[in-house]
Amino acid sequence: MDEETFFPSDTDIDFSFTSTTSSVTTATDRTFASSSARTSLARSSLTLSFNESRLSTSTAGATAAANLHHRPHRKSDPHWSAINAATTLSSDGALHLRHLKLLRHLGTGNLGRVFLCRLRDCDAANFALKVVDRDALTNKKLSHVQMEADILSALDHPFLPTLYAHLEVSHYTCLLIDYCPGGDLHSLLRKQPGNRLPVDAVRFYAAEVLVALEYLHATGVVYRDLKPENVLLREDGHIMLSDFDLCFKADVVPILESRARTRPVHGCFGSREAAEEVVAEFVAEPTDAFSRSCVGTHEYLAPELVAGTGHGNGVDWWAFGVFIFEMLHGTTPFKGGSKEATLRNIASTRQVKFQARDEEEKGVGITEARDLIERLLVKDPRKRLGFSRGATDIKRHPFFNGIKWPLIRTYTPPEVRGVARKTKAHVSHVTGVPSERGHWWWNSKKNKGSKHNFTFNNNNYYSYINYKKVKKCA
Ligand SMILES: Nc1ncnc2c1ncn2[C@@H]1O[C@H](COP(=O)(O)OP(=O)(O)OP(=O)(O)O)[C@@H](O)[C@H]1O
């Protein structure tokens, strides 16, 4: 039986994979005509003169197995357990489309449609299935699909999607990844007064995005499409960066650098002295990355991208500055009346202008945030913060003071209007059991030094694992 015939039986939604992408005109003119949670104001990515053809000829006729490595540290993750259970029962040991049941259409992108789905015999884990109709795409877009699949298959990070399976069925490419029920940051911003987030929330989301970018750059991937629309919220409120079709890969040489720092020491009689110490710092930044393709989203494009003279890793740090600005101010810094005006503003602006925020917010990070933005939105990429030492330098900026970076994934996300609040009575969407974590908070500044800054309960990122349920599935 054809794989596709397994889908429509479960529901009356059209899951026959009749592609909607054929109706998509160009990337620049695209509007979202879908049931996407994303607002219609979401900005589309543009792709101009994308030269890097990375399309490999894949065997599209057969179903590919989920033969991606099961990373040992993820072995009790409910998603992998569910997939293991399904593939163990499969005659050829591979995951097929027939193992999946589609529950809901989540949205339509430039390349294909995304569905919420589960494995047929296991309700313990939700997935998102990105379905791309290759017949409906131009060669350029096919190269983007290939790039996204390549990047996804290499990722292994809590703030980035896991690719659970890559299926090639007929002319469809299907990518099975983590499902994010919290929507995207762009939609979340639109729910806030003035489209702006409190500074503490900005710090939290910026810190998590920074860690995700750090990982990408350490693996030589320049992301090129940072914007709130591409920052999805997982069930536990942490972020997941999505959309890797505009990435490009470069070489990166990791180095260990020594840095002298001053550390306060407490003397025998309560005196405080300063001690000099040398610490080793890991730096892995693709400083030699180079591309001429003009890709990205207008309001987030770095000046060197607009100029078309070639660009590298610095475009992500510029976009990171625009991203923090937008979360703080509800709009992007160079936005003009038209796309052309926006590009002109980016090319001509000498210094970024800030709008006034409420008086009471002064002193809790707004000044530091502005300083960070100014250091990121530097026209010359070589002088831009992050260019030579990447996230290592940005993490040390005063805006992020107090963050214990290795513990960041155990922090409880901020309480923000429009984000489902977890309470003791909350029933986990993924596991169907009450959440172990009581309330959510993120308040690193106010409780500085207090143990309440962090959740020291050793809950790791995958703390929503429901072992009982997983065992039942397996
Ligand atoms: N993992 C996910 N979990 C939940 N919803 C998702 C997930 N991935 C995508 N979506 C939803 O599906 C929509 C389409 O996503 P998709 O990644 O195909 O396109 P996009 O974000 O518009 O990017 P592009 O068109 O540049 O590829 C998104 O707007 C989002 O609402």
Side-chain angles (χ1 to χ4, degrees):
M1 194 190 288
D2 188 341
E3 292 271 9
E4 291 166 37
T5 59
F6 282 92
F7 286 93
S9 57
D10 261 336
T11 162
D12 53 2
I13 304 177
D14 172 23
F15 287 150
S16 57
F17 288 179
T18 312
S19 176
T20 56
T21 52
S22 53
S23 63
V24 172
T25 49
T26 64
T28 39
D29 298 333
R30 176 167 58 91
T31 52
F32 291 88
S34 72
S35 59
S36 167
R38 181 176 291 189
T39 67
S40 58
L41 294 168
R43 294 146 298 192
S44 53
S45 315
L46 95 156
T47 58
L48 302 172
S49 60
F50 192 92
N51 305 322
E52 297 134 307
S53 177
R54 292 169 191 277
L55 181 66
S56 69
T57 46
S58 58
T59 47
T63 303
N67 56 358
L68 302 153
H69 297 296
H70 294 201
R71 281 111 186 178
H73 60 286
R74 302 279 312 269
K75 68 178 189 298
S76 48
D77 178 282
H79 299 86
W80 282 122
S81 303
I83 286 175
N84 278 340
T87 52
T88 306
L89 296 175
S90 178
S91 54
D92 59 358
L95 191 81
H96 295 270
L97 277 182
R98 65 172 177 273
H99 292 122
L100 302 171
K101 61 178 179 211
L102 302 191
L103 305 175
R104 190 156 60 86
H105 177 217
L106 292 170
T108 302
N110 193 26
L111 301 177
R113 291 197 287 170
V114 181
F115 299 91
L116 168 64
C117 71
R118 285 187 187 152
L119 288 161
R120 270 182 189 278
D121 302 317
C122 182
D123 285 343
N126 289 322
F127 297 90
L129 185 72
K130 189 164 186 168
V131 180
V132 176
D133 179 355
R134 290 191 309 278
D135 279 0
L137 300 183
T138 59
N139 275 352
K140 192 186 282 182
K141 285 187 180 176
L142 284 171
S143 72
H144 294 182
V145 175
Q146 188 64 40
M147 175 56 78
E148 177 139 48
D150 285 353
I151 302 281
L152 281 173
S153 68
L155 300 179
D156 185 12
H157 192 276
F159 301 149
L160 295 167
T162 296
L163 180 65
Y164 296 99
H166 174 175
L167 308 169
E168 296 286 335
V169 183
S170 175
H171 49 100
Y172 294 108
T173 293
C174 307
L175 304 170
L176 192 66
I177 59 171
D178 298 295
Y179 166 58
C180 291
D184 61 73
L185 266 190
H186 184 254
S187 307
L188 190 70
L189 278 177
R190 296 294 160 277
K191 292 176 190 158
Q192 312 307 312
N195 297 334
R196 315 178 312 188
L197 284 167
V199 180
D200 273 343
V202 172
R203 184 182 296 107
F204 174 82
Y205 292 124
E208 294 209 334
V209 166
L210 178 59
V211 170
L213 287 176
E214 177 182 41
Y215 175 90
L216 289 174
H217 282 206
T219 55
V221 174
V222 181
Y223 180 49
R224 296 201 288 195
D225 206 13
L226 178 61
K227 55 182 173 181
E229 289 90 326
N230 285 342
V231 180
L232 305 184
L233 296 178
R234 293 183 186 261
E235 199 240 0
D236 60 5
H238 289 271
I239 67 121
M240 184 183 97
L241 210 55
S242 71
D243 263 351
F244 301 91
D245 48 324
L246 301 187
C247 292
F248 79 100
K249 289 192 82 175
D251 290 332
V252 62
V253 183
I255 44 170
L256 214 51
E257 286 186 353
S258 301
R259 181 173 66 90
R261 74 169 180 196
T262 313
R263 186 170 55 92
V265 197
H266 299 281
C268 303
F269 304 105
S271 60
R272 294 186 66 163
E273 293 152 28
E276 277 276 307
E277 65 180 6
V278 176
V279 289
E281 280 181 330
F282 176 77
V283 178
E285 183 65 14
T287 46
D288 290 334
F290 186 82
S291 168
R292 282 194 188 279
S293 311
C294 182
V295 302
T297 301
H298 289 86
E299 292 166 45
Y300 275 77
L301 292 181
E304 62 269 28
L305 260 164
V306 174
T309 46
H311 63 270
N313 59 322
V315 296
D316 282 346
W317 301 128
W318 173 279
F320 187 56
V322 178
F323 174 71
I324 299 175
F325 186 106
E326 180 165 16
M327 285 196 292
L328 275 179
H329 295 291
T331 183
T332 51
F334 307 108
K335 191 171 166 48
S338 63
K339 285 176 179 172
E340 290 68 30
T342 301
L343 298 182
R344 268 199 306 277
N345 290 343
I346 294 168
S348 64
T349 304
R350 299 258 168 267
Q351 209 170 3
V352 61
K353 288 194 191 79
F354 295 103
Q355 302 152 10
R357 276 193 64 139
D358 301 342
E359 272 300 305
E360 73 264 20
E361 286 182 342
K362 284 190 179 153
V364 290
I366 191 82
T367 315
E368 291 84 347
R370 287 177 177 172
D371 182 75
L372 174 59
I373 292 167
E374 278 174 344
R375 288 168 196 273
L376 291 165
L377 298 183
V378 169
K379 243 179 161 179
D380 180 350
R382 301 199 153 263
K383 295 185 181 150
R384 195 173 297 155
L385 185 65
F387 176 80
S388 53
R389 288 162 43 86
T392 309
D393 278 349
I394 301 173
K395 281 173 161 180
R396 281 171 37 208
H397 187 277
F399 181 56
F400 294 120
N401 270 358
I403 295 181
K404 301 277 182 270
W405 293 100
L407 294 177
I408 192 158
R409 64 184 188 166
T410 69
Y411 283 22
T412 306
E415 278 185 31
V416 173
R417 180 190 291 204
V419 173
R421 188 191 158 116
K422 277 188 170 181
T423 62
K424 284 212 166 99
H426 172 81
V427 175
S428 161
H429 188 61
V430 171
T431 62
V433 293
S435 165
E436 281 182 1
R437 295 203 273 184
H439 63 286
W440 292 23
W441 41 258
W442 161 261
N443 213 346
S444 62
K445 279 273 167 183
K446 286 178 199 150
N447 294 322
K448 211 168 177 180
S450 139
K451 73 184 169 74
H452 299 299
N453 276 348
F454 320 110
T455 46
F456 282 118
N457 57 4
N458 276 340
N459 270 357
N460 73 11
Y461 186 73
Y462 300 99
S463 59
Y464 53 72
I465 292 169
N466 175 358
Y467 293 97
K468 277 188 200 147
K469 195 136 196 178
V470 169
K471 269 191 197 146
K472 210 175 102 194
C473 294

